[in-house]
Amino acid sequence: MTASPPPRRPHPPSRTAHHATPDKDQIALLDPFERLGTDRITLVSTPEQADTACNALAAASAWGFDTESKPTFVQGEESDGPHIVQLATLDTAWVFQLHDPGCRARVAELLALRGVTKAGFGLGDDKKRIQAKLGVVPEGVLELNHVFRQQGYRKEMGVKGAVAVLFNRRFIKSKKAATSNWANPRLTESQLVYAANDAYAAARVYHALGLSASA
């Protein structure tokens, strides 16, 4: 019996060659990406907690960045999100709830802060919603998909593809958590892990691309 050939592994980025974005079948063959556990995730819902998070984040020159909004299911219904803003370093993630005006104000200050890169995937809609809800234009936002485009990946590169390319690992995203109620005052552990790791993976990708050295 002839042995099956090993699965084709995605290639690392190149600034000159053109590469195919890994598909879901390729990614499904990979070992899971190591995610942050709840011991490295901090929920932030008060101004005092936000102040502590701001002090911790100040030590980093780049953050993984993402947002979550309560999904809309009725045609024509507009979201009043984001309801969650996630920021992460290589060690820790902070999940900010935006119910409290004081907490919202501190998140707005963080996102408007110049000199710090906020890196993530699919951030176009996030930026518009943040401007509408928080009244600030996020500064230093880096769409990581654009970086992969510059390095020869023609298709859209989301977090799953990026993790496969750079770490040869499969990034796990819960569909149930993705479509859950992010406006709920009490978030579940599944929601916290989902939200935090989207930002954490973006931080890992940013540093693996060597962008921190060139920033």
Side-chain angles (χ1 to χ4, degrees):
M1 180 175 179
T2 304
S4 300
R8 183 165 60 89
R9 304 298 189 191
H11 298 290
S14 164
R15 293 187 179 278
T16 55
H18 292 293
H19 300 294
T21 301
D23 60 34
K24 62 180 182 180
D25 293 328
Q26 285 179 278
I27 295 173
L29 298 172
L30 304 177
D31 293 330
F33 179 71
E34 184 179 351
R35 301 187 299 172
L36 291 181
T38 53
D39 59 322
R40 293 163 67 189
I41 299 170
T42 301
L43 177 64
V44 182
S45 57
T46 69
E48 294 74 22
Q49 292 170 341
D51 286 338
T52 301
C54 289
N55 291 334
L57 284 161
S61 61
W63 308 326
F65 167 48
D66 199 11
T67 74
E68 305 296 340
S69 299
K70 177 183 177 181
T72 57
F73 299 104
V74 179
Q75 186 175 1
E77 181 183 2
E78 293 187 8
S79 172
D80 62 346
H83 300 100
I84 302 295
V85 170
Q86 307 100 275
L87 298 172
T89 64
L90 294 177
D91 303 304
T92 309
W94 291 264
V95 178
F96 295 84
Q97 292 184 291
L98 303 180
H99 304 294
D100 184 279
C103 191
R104 280 202 307 273
R106 285 156 177 79
V107 172
E109 291 174 6
L110 284 171
L111 296 181
L113 186 63
R114 297 184 178 183
V116 179
T117 302
K118 294 91 173 174
F121 293 91
L123 298 177
D125 191 48
D126 299 67
K127 290 165 64 177
K128 294 176 183 177
R129 290 184 178 185
I130 285 168
Q131 187 171 359
K133 183 157 188 172
L134 301 182
V136 297
V137 178
E139 292 283 347
V141 173
L142 177 65
E143 173 55 64
L144 291 169
N145 178 54
H146 295 167
V147 178
F148 280 94
R149 286 283 183 92
Q150 293 168 357
Q151 297 192 350
Y153 289 86
R154 294 180 176 179
K155 279 184 64 179
E156 190 81 10
M157 180 70 79
V159 63
K160 289 184 177 181
V163 167
V165 166
L166 294 172
F167 306 111
N168 206 36
R169 289 291 185 268
R170 171 170 48 93
F171 185 74
I172 300 171
K173 288 175 73 80
S174 165
K175 291 183 178 179
K176 182 177 181 181
T179 56
S180 61
N181 182 8
W182 295 103
N184 196 326
R186 297 181 63 86
L187 297 178
T188 65
E189 180 177 314
S190 176
Q191 285 178 305
L192 284 175
V193 170
Y194 177 98
N197 278 284
D198 266 357
Y200 170 66
R204 289 282 306 274
V205 168
Y206 174 83
H207 285 273
L209 287 169
L211 298 173
S212 56
S214 60

